[in-house]
Amino acid sequence: MPTTRRDFLTYGAAIGAGALTPAVAAGSADARTHALKLPRDPFTLGVAAGDPTPDGFVLWTRLAVDPLADDGLGGMPDVRIPVSWQVATDERFRRVVRAGATITNRELGYAVHIEADDLEPGREYFYRFAHGPFLSRVGRAVTAPRRDAMPASLAMSFVSCAQYEHGLFTAYRRLAEDRPDLVLHLGDYQYEYIAGAYVAPGGNVRHHDGPETVTLEGYRQRHAQYKLDPDLQEAHAATAWAVVFDDHEVDNNWAADIPEKVAETPGFVERRRAAFRAYYENMPLRRTSVPRGADMQLYRRLHWGRLATFHMLDTRQFRSDQGCGDGYRADCPAAIDPARSITGAAQEEWLIDGFHQSTARWDVIGQQVFFAQRDNNSGPVKTVSMDAWDGYAASRDRITRGWVDAGVRNPVVLTGDVHAHWASELKLNYDDPTTPSVGTELVCSSITSGGNGADSPSTAHPWLGWNPHLKFQNSLRGYVNTTITPDDLSADFRCLTQVRTPDEPVFTRATFVIEDRVPTLNQTYDRPPALRELQRKSADEITRETVEWETSRP
């Protein structure tokens, strides 16, 4: 195996046909002649790994010498491009354990997906790519433990909602510095708007290139703009991710084949097709998620030995349309209609079957929108979000009863979407606070969406007063780090005071611990707020702000 950069480049050019598909082997000589013609480094969009298993993970890169080219193809020539790859046990690649080569081309958007296998379970690896004289940066990934193993711990982080225009991606860099074993991205990885259409309080700090994303070319260009961000590249290179989309990867608050704006319904399926294709091209997903037209298999499971099973959901592609015109609504009949679903019948059955088959210590549901009930009205009339699980109460009830009936030992729901940190206990009957909790929900704030946000005491938000199962809220930007052990799951709510200025430090605002077999939240750390803006506002003002943060769009 090659051990130096020169050896690697020679190996990449001369690798035998036994490591290639027949099509690659047949065309490799011609393709190699084009390798010399690339004018610049094609690895401008970084590298990524995803969906770790006990014997491997997905490796990803996408070639682009002119990443923001209007055609979305990154300035690449219309030829077959060979790419070599290596996996090693050390960062200097002195011990390479897997290597190979593949071909990418225009049809693939010049993306590369390698399902590296035959690796050892539960260990750290490093990987890189090469093309001609160009070598990518090095990425790191950790394989999952054996399915029958009980690891001592897992460091897992989760993130969501990174609007490029609203702030700098410093939180991604701080996440990389925390060095988790696994990152879950719960959606809104990129936003579809034309520059200036969605403005954060205080104004935007940078701007989207190109028009609103509707075409394949537009989505490819927008993904490239996000991937160019050095902080995001650091986070991807730091560890393997498991990703799911929410709405903005396609269109705000889309549902199945229905766009946000009814007038845009004609042509929406084609828009979804383009968005799905670009999403796959730009994410470290397995071939099981290759889109088939306007359909994409995104929901799936990841196992971390017997310690944790991650049920990654898709709450957009199969949902019923939002009831009563979307937004926050009071007494909406559609919200309690048992015929409506946020997951679709097939995914719901898959999830509940998974609960019954699970032997994991922790069953973690990675999904997009708020799961627990959140009534924003202190009076007798319940007012809830139609886009969240509150708008699909019967669907939520079936799934909650599904894990209760299956005897799931420790159900934990992870959520993004709402641009604020929250923590809650889950109930079968939210209207009776004396009933036992049957699970917990941890919600991460945004990376940037909504601008700087604001700090406040942990229980200052007025909704906690009439939703006693809600235990914590904070509107600063950031992410959540968890440490999962056989005995407990601890969650650090990580925050940045500013996203408009570079190099901001991160701090832990609060820590909650969930003990094995005890589905309640115990707060073990609470840092005093750095800002006290919300303390001077009335409950009505805070409610209005929260609703605006979550629902205000162009």
Side-chain angles (χ1 to χ4, degrees):
M1 288 293 181
T3 57
T4 68
R5 182 178 186 278
R6 181 176 180 180
D7 289 341
F8 181 27
L9 299 179
T10 302
Y11 178 78
I15 186 169
L20 306 173
T21 65
V24 172
S28 59
D30 176 65
R32 281 198 302 273
T33 66
H34 295 289
L36 304 177
K37 297 180 181 180
L38 290 185
R40 292 180 296 280
D41 180 7
F43 297 109
T44 55
L45 304 182
V47 300
D51 284 15
T53 61
D55 70 342
F57 32 71
V58 180
L59 305 178
W60 172 93
T61 192
R62 180 178 162 219
L63 307 184
V65 295
D66 181 11
L68 299 182
D70 289 339
D71 65 0
L73 293 172
M76 297 296 293
D78 188 9
V79 296
R80 292 153 52 84
I81 307 290
V83 180
S84 304
W85 57 272
Q86 288 180 318
V87 177
T89 57
D90 65 295
E91 207 164 358
R92 298 187 66 182
F93 288 79
R94 289 172 173 167
R95 185 169 183 269
V96 173
V97 294
R98 292 284 283 126
T102 189
I103 290 287
T104 188
N105 58 27
R106 180 188 184 95
E107 181 65 19
L108 301 176
Y110 300 99
V112 175
H113 292 80
I114 301 296
E115 296 187 13
D117 56 12
D118 291 335
L119 302 177
E120 295 180 16
R123 72 164 299 161
E124 180 181 65
Y125 288 95
F126 300 90
Y127 63 92
R128 63 185 179 183
F129 297 90
H131 168 76
F134 301 109
L135 192 64
S136 78
R137 68 173 299 161
V138 174
R140 168 187 175 268
V142 177
T143 52
R146 296 191 322 270
R147 284 291 302 273
D148 61 351
M150 177 59 82
S153 67
L154 163 65
M156 180 275 294
S157 303
F158 63 101
V159 298
S160 73
C161 302
Q163 217 285 20
Y164 182 87
E165 298 178 294
H166 285 189
L168 306 177
F169 287 169
T170 312
Y172 278 139
R173 183 173 293 271
R174 300 294 173 251
L175 172 68
E177 292 166 353
D178 289 344
R179 208 167 176 82
D181 299 320
L182 177 68
V183 170
L184 308 186
H185 199 294
L186 302 180
D188 294 347
Y189 183 95
Q190 61 95 33
Y191 281 68
E192 74 274 28
Y193 302 116
I194 192 171
Y198 181 15
V199 180
N204 292 345
V205 300
R206 49 188 182 174
H207 302 289
H208 282 151
D209 280 7
E212 177 166 338
T213 52
V214 175
T215 65
L216 177 59
E217 294 80 8
Y219 283 111
R220 282 171 167 170
Q221 182 191 52
R222 185 62 50 81
H223 275 285
Q225 184 175 18
Y226 278 60
K227 280 290 200 305
L228 279 171
D229 185 275
D231 297 327
L232 177 56
Q233 289 195 14
E234 286 296 317
H236 272 300
T239 196
W241 290 30
V243 301
V244 288
F245 52 60
D246 191 14
D247 54 336
H248 290 290
E249 289 86 350
V250 181
D251 177 43
N252 181 54
N253 281 19
W254 66 280
D257 58 357
I258 303 168
E260 177 188 23
K261 299 173 183 175
V262 175
E264 297 176 357
T265 300
F268 180 71
V269 170
E270 187 58 35
R271 179 180 185 178
R272 197 178 91 169
R273 179 199 303 264
F276 284 5
R277 181 171 171 183
Y279 185 80
Y280 177 79
E281 289 174 354
N282 285 278
M283 295 294 158
L285 288 164
R286 293 186 179 273
R287 63 176 65 94
T288 51
S289 292
V290 172
R292 290 167 174 79
D295 300 320
M296 185 174 183
Q297 180 62 49
L298 192 66
Y299 65 85
R300 62 201 189 279
R301 288 190 182 89
L302 284 75
H303 302 278
W304 208 263
R306 293 188 295 114
L307 180 64
T309 292
F310 296 93
H311 311 264
M312 304 299 291
L313 302 190
D314 175 353
T315 62
R316 288 290 165 191
Q317 194 174 176
F318 311 106
R319 69 158 66 194
S320 307
D321 193 15
Q322 292 92 343
C324 299
D326 207 352
Y328 276 78
R329 296 289 182 266
D331 290 337
C332 174
I336 58 173
D337 182 352
R340 299 176 69 255
S341 173
I342 195 171
T343 62
Q347 185 177 191
E348 182 178 302
E349 181 180 1
W350 167 87
L351 179 58
I352 293 174
D353 284 349
F355 293 153
H356 283 274
Q357 295 170 15
S358 178
T359 59
R361 183 66 53 92
W362 301 87
D363 278 271
V364 181
I365 303 168
Q367 57 91 49
Q368 295 79 4
V369 294
F370 215 97
F371 193 88
Q373 180 175 288
R374 272 191 320 161
D375 181 4
N376 77 8
N377 190 331
S378 62
V381 178
K382 189 182 300 181
T383 305
V384 296
S385 170
M386 295 297 100
D387 190 56
W389 288 80
D390 274 331
Y392 306 82
S395 188
R396 175 176 63 198
D397 182 68
R398 290 192 296 269
I399 287 171
T400 307
R401 290 184 185 278
W403 78 55
V404 171
D405 292 345
V408 168
R409 182 164 174 160
N410 292 297
V412 180
V413 177
L414 306 181
T415 301
D417 184 61
V418 293
H419 308 173
H421 288 316
W422 295 77
S424 59
E425 295 178 5
L426 304 177
K427 306 276 188 179
L428 284 170
N429 182 4
Y430 292 98
D431 296 330
D432 182 358
T434 66
T435 58
S437 298
V438 296
T440 52
E441 179 178 20
L442 304 171
V443 183
C444 66
S445 186
S446 62
I447 293 294
T448 56
S449 300
N452 282 336
D455 203 352
S456 62
S458 295
T459 58
H461 199 289
W463 296 4
L464 276 62
W466 56 84
N467 293 275
H469 56 281
L470 303 179
K471 305 298 184 181
F472 170 73
Q473 191 273 349
N474 187 274
S475 296
L476 289 175
R477 305 297 160 234
Y479 53 94
V480 178
N481 285 345
T482 70
T483 301
I484 305 174
T485 75
D487 297 325
D488 57 41
L489 183 156
S490 65
D492 293 332
F493 288 85
R494 305 283 275 164
C495 294
L496 289 80
T497 302
Q498 299 277 334
V499 295
R500 299 176 61 84
T501 55
D503 300 323
E504 285 291 318
V506 68
F507 63 93
T508 297
R509 180 62 185 76
T511 299
F512 285 83
V513 174
I514 307 163
E515 297 177 358
D516 179 32
R517 296 188 184 274
V518 183
T520 57
L521 294 165
N522 302 297
Q523 188 166 7
T524 61
Y525 177 73
D526 187 8
R527 170 174 165 153
L531 305 173
R532 298 184 178 272
E533 296 174 17
L534 292 184
Q535 290 177 283
R536 299 192 296 271
K537 296 177 180 178
S538 69
D540 288 345
E541 288 175 311
I542 297 171
T543 292
R544 185 177 66 253
E545 279 192 350
T546 303
V547 172
E548 287 176 354
W549 287 337
E550 296 178 13
T551 63
S552 293
R553 301 289 188 270

